[in-house]
Amino acid sequence: MQFERISTNVPEGDAPTRARVLRLIAEQGPRTAADLAAALDLTPAGVRRHLDHLVEGGTLESVEQRTLPGTRGRGRPARAFRLTQMGRDQLENQYDDLATQALRFLRETGGDDAVIAFARQRVEFIERDYATITAERPDLSPAEALAEVLTRGGYAAGVQQLPIGEQLCQQHCPVSHVAHEFPQLCEAETEAFSRVLGSHVQRLATIAHGDGVCTTCIPQTVTRTRASNKDGASA
């Protein structure tokens, strides 16, 4: 991906740094100014100058950083910076157009079944890597293991606790622009989630359809089943 060409009309020395800021947020999800300064070896004042420019230009937006209940300290809540749709568009992979054209040709010559077969083949890594992660990290919940698989695949995924279970959040989607026209890519992912978790899951939002993050609800029964298996193994 060629991030260096996304910034225009800025001082020559600033463009590469702002590209690094956008790339880090694209790969890892929303980050605070302090996180970015530490990761990019910049001063807090320096990173804020770049963030102000990117927010003003419409490629980033500032939101209140999410925290788990009971973990917020005193003072004003930290602000995190995330990509806007404009920012996602500017970071669009140069091969997206080619991939879209290829899938259009596949649909015209092989029909929707061919597109679905391709989409399912593309996400085979989820089942393969899930088995590896769960073997390496038995301490992870099923959702956490799945999030690790997706993060390694470029999706910047994490898990949030909900009263009814867990919510899988994908802050980045490497195929979002293509999936906008070919939702079969998202559907194949959801099918793979259900298979590895052994339960129905509910896709609530997708970046491909204009949402800020892909979210999937994982019912509490998955967590309970995993906990029961652990108890039985240790008994």
Side-chain angles (χ1 to χ4, degrees):
M1 298 176 71
Q2 299 179 353
F3 294 98
E4 285 72 11
R5 60 187 177 85
I6 61 178
S7 297
T8 58
N9 300 321
V10 298
E12 183 177 352
D14 287 344
T17 300
R18 289 172 186 168
R20 291 169 62 206
V21 170
L22 291 175
R23 179 170 57 192
L24 185 64
I25 293 174
E27 293 175 349
Q28 299 185 11
R31 288 291 179 268
T32 65
D35 292 337
L36 293 165
L40 300 173
D41 195 23
L42 298 171
T43 65
V47 78
R48 286 189 179 281
R49 178 171 65 85
H50 294 299
L51 289 170
D52 288 344
H53 176 89
L54 293 168
V55 170
E56 182 180 352
T59 54
L60 290 182
E61 61 183 352
S62 172
V63 295
E64 183 176 328
Q65 186 180 31
R66 292 183 177 180
T67 58
L68 294 176
T71 60
R72 177 177 294 177
R74 295 181 178 180
R76 298 175 61 185
R79 305 292 294 180
F81 295 84
R82 68 183 183 188
L83 290 173
T84 62
Q85 187 58 50
M86 180 188 296
R88 295 183 191 280
D89 290 341
Q90 289 189 9
L91 287 174
E92 181 178 359
N93 192 306
Q94 63 179 330
Y95 295 111
D96 278 355
D97 287 343
L98 178 60
T100 300
Q101 292 174 21
L103 282 173
R104 287 172 182 166
F105 177 80
L106 187 63
R107 181 173 58 193
E108 291 170 1
T109 57
D112 288 338
D113 288 345
V115 175
I116 294 171
F118 169 81
R120 288 173 175 167
Q121 182 184 55
R122 182 190 162 275
V123 297
E124 286 178 351
F125 78 93
I126 294 176
E127 294 180 79
R128 181 193 67 231
D129 294 351
Y130 182 82
T132 301
I133 295 296
T134 53
E136 293 175 351
R137 297 286 309 278
D139 57 303
L140 297 178
S141 73
E144 290 169 341
L146 180 56
E148 179 63 21
V149 170
L150 294 170
T151 294
R152 294 186 184 187
Y155 288 82
V159 176
Q160 294 180 354
Q161 299 297 322
L162 298 175
I164 60 173
E166 295 171 302
Q167 182 168 275
L168 179 69
C169 301
Q170 297 160 247
Q171 304 288 351
H172 176 60
C173 176
V175 296
S176 60
H177 289 84
V178 181
H180 179 73
E181 181 174 342
F182 293 93
Q184 295 94 331
L185 297 172
C186 298
E187 292 164 5
E189 283 182 13
T190 306
E191 290 175 0
F193 296 169
S194 293
R195 284 196 299 273
V196 298
L197 297 174
S199 173
H200 171 73
V201 299
Q202 180 66 47
R203 207 70 180 263
L204 304 177
T206 63
I207 295 172
H209 288 87
D211 300 299
V213 61
C214 296
T215 57
T216 304
C217 181
I218 300 172
Q220 202 167 37
T221 52
V222 175
T223 304
R224 288 176 176 170
T225 300
R226 181 63 175 270
S228 298
N229 290 340
K230 284 184 177 181
D231 292 341
S234 60

